Amino acid sequence: MIDIHSHILYGVDDGPKTLERSLEMLDYAQKDKITTLFATSHFKPGLESDFSARYEELKPRAAERGIELILGTEIDYVHLATTRPLLTLGGSKFILVDMRQPYLEMSCSHVLYQLSLDGYTVIIAHPERLFMSPDLKIVHELAEMDCFFQLNASSIVGRHGGQAQHIAFSIIKAGLAHYVGSDAHSPRRNFAMSEARDLVNKKFGGEVTELLFEVNAQQLLKNEAPYLVTPPKRKWYQIFKR
Ligand SMILES: [Fe+2]
């Protein structure tokens, strides 16, 4: 499995504080059957060299556990207009963006347009935790602006409550989900990718599961856009099944 969102690097954000905690997280990732893991610490200007140093330190430790570690970052919306170049996911054109609700009260379309002119493609992290309206209005608007979406495994399994879980499933049903990542921050707040994968498989079937947990992330590694993930329509006699 490929996890495109984690805070595995220690001492650079609200993820693990020590090398030992990072290694403990790698043990969990291995148990969770993750084979490729993106290190996407919260971006702060000036921290790029610290990210690289921690990444180089952890890369062989991940390899010992059969995990390929790839460097990226999670960029808060406030940095998108002013920072260039942006640290992308594994040197691709894709950037992982944390777009919190207050910023959407300002128009973000010009920022997103400028990003596309500069050659970046936006993946919005955990929309199910940010845009809680059941009609998915903002998610639809951002999709119109060519954004892709990464759901958190922890939301899918219900760790952030029933509403975030419900919105996550609605986003999948609407055909607007493209990737699932863990957003793991610590051994306690860990990956849950296998558990989420089993649940998605049960609810939406094997094809959707493969695309969300593997194939679209492979596309990303090739610097290609994700495939559209369209769950099969339910038959009338399946409507009352959960
Ligand atoms: Fe994150």
Side-chain angles (χ1 to χ4, degrees), residues 77 99 102-112 142 145:
Y77 181 77
M99 189 172 278
Y103 306 132
L104 287 167
E105 288 160 14
M106 307 181 285
S107 166
C108 64
S109 57
H110 67 286
V111 174
L112 294 175
L142 289 167
M145 291 186 263

Side-chain angles (χ1 to χ4, degrees), residues 74-77 80 95-99 115 122-125:
E74 178 179 16
I75 309 170
D76 191 288
Y77 181 77
L80 288 181
I95 51 172
L96 184 66
V97 174
D98 187 346
M99 189 172 278
L115 285 168
V122 171
I123 300 174
I124 307 279

Side-chain angles (χ1 to χ4, degrees), residues 1-6 34 36-38 180-183 191 193:
M1 237 180 319
I2 303 173
D3 180 0
I4 69 162
H5 184 169
S6 81
I34 290 162
T36 304
L37 179 63
F38 284 74
V180 175
S182 71
D183 198 9
F191 297 89
M193 289 287 280

Side-chain angles (χ1 to χ4, degrees), residues 35-85:
T35 50
T36 304
L37 179 63
F38 284 74
T40 53
S41 307
H42 293 291
F43 173 80
K44 276 192 208 89
L47 270 190
E48 293 91 333
S49 57
D50 289 2
F51 286 2
S52 299
R54 294 284 195 268
Y55 167 72
E56 292 301 334
E57 186 182 3
L58 279 181
K59 197 178 166 188
R61 311 303 294 269
E64 285 164 9
R65 292 160 173 84
I67 298 169
E68 184 188 7
L69 197 63
I70 296 179
L71 185 61
T73 187
E74 178 179 16
I75 309 170
D76 191 288
Y77 181 77
V78 291
H79 298 301
L80 288 181
T82 50
T83 310
R84 293 292 185 277

Side-chain angles (χ1 to χ4, degrees), residues 194-242:
S194 291
E195 195 184 339
R197 187 187 176 114
D198 289 347
L199 194 55
V200 169
N201 192 33
K202 222 176 190 172
K203 278 185 85 74
F204 299 102
E207 200 175 321
V208 167
T209 307
E210 285 295 310
L211 286 166
L212 289 178
F213 287 82
E214 194 104 29
V215 175
N216 278 346
Q218 281 165 355
Q219 287 288 102
L220 194 157
L221 290 168
K222 290 187 272 182
N223 208 14
E224 301 278 350
Y227 295 108
L228 207 62
V229 183
T230 317
K233 291 270 177 284
R234 286 177 160 199
K235 305 267 188 305
W236 68 268
Y237 53 83
Q238 294 175 311
I239 282 170
F240 298 107
K241 278 194 191 169
R242 287 185 65 83

Side-chain angles (χ1 to χ4, degrees), residues 117-138:
L117 290 181
D118 293 346
Y120 297 109
T121 301
V122 171
I123 300 174
I124 307 279
H126 40 64
E128 77 285 358
R129 299 195 65 193
L130 304 177
F131 318 124
M132 304 297 267
S133 137
D135 62 4
L136 306 181
K137 186 172 172 285
I138 294 172

